Amino acid sequence: MKSARWSIPAAEQAPAGRRGSLHHVELWVGDITAAKRSWGWLLHRLGYRLGDDWGHGQAWQLGPVYIVIESGPDVRSAEHERTRPGLNHLAFHAGSRQDVDDIVAACAEGGWTLMFADRHPFAGGPDHYAAYLEDDAG
């Protein structure tokens, strides 16, 4: 992961504003009930607030960014596999190391499983303290 990061000198950083920043992420899920449980639990723990719930979907917001989980009529039935082309993962800043540890300690109650447990919390390398979680849908 260290090779995928770089520092941008302050003089070269983009001016404050929204251009190029993330607006929203929309996750289409096969089982909205399970997704509401797992994603709702995690997003709430990370400080997102539920903005809207229309039965087959929800929108969670933190500042100007929102995440939608949805299982509407256009969602095709298929299992997700993170190693196939498409979205591999979403990475969130979880706070302090203690915040990461607290999420891991409680992740099963939210429907999440710790991945790479044998290398946790340094599965991303010695300078990367993180929890890699997967819900039942992968």
Side-chain angles (χ1 to χ4, degrees):
M1 289 301 295
K2 200 171 198 177
S3 64
R5 298 184 182 156
W6 60 93
S7 296
I8 300 172
E12 295 178 27
Q13 291 181 5
R18 297 191 313 185
R19 182 176 180 171
S21 64
L22 186 64
H23 185 269
H24 73 276
V25 172
E26 191 163 324
L27 300 171
W28 285 16
V29 298
D31 182 346
I32 191 63
T33 302
K36 284 180 178 183
R37 176 179 174 245
S38 60
W39 282 100
W41 179 88
L42 181 62
L43 294 171
H44 177 62
R45 293 283 304 230
L46 294 173
Y48 284 76
R49 66 171 181 76
L50 179 60
D52 197 8
D53 186 331
W54 56 96
H56 64 270
Q58 292 183 325
W60 290 82
Q61 186 168 359
L62 180 64
V65 176
Y66 64 96
I67 297 175
V68 174
I69 56 171
E70 184 171 359
S71 183
D74 292 334
V75 177
R76 293 183 184 170
S77 180
E79 293 296 316
H80 172 74
E81 172 51 55
R82 68 180 186 82
T83 59
R84 289 186 184 140
L87 183 66
N88 177 273
H89 69 275
L90 295 175
F92 298 95
H93 289 281
S96 69
R97 287 182 174 206
Q98 186 60 56
D99 292 331
V100 171
D101 293 343
D102 291 345
I103 288 171
V104 169
C107 72
E109 75 186 40
W112 295 91
T113 302
L114 180 65
M115 300 169 68
F116 318 118
D118 60 325
R119 294 180 278 156
H120 174 72
F122 299 105
D127 299 324
H128 188 69
Y129 197 96
Y132 292 82
L133 304 178
E134 182 175 48
D135 71 359
D136 290 339

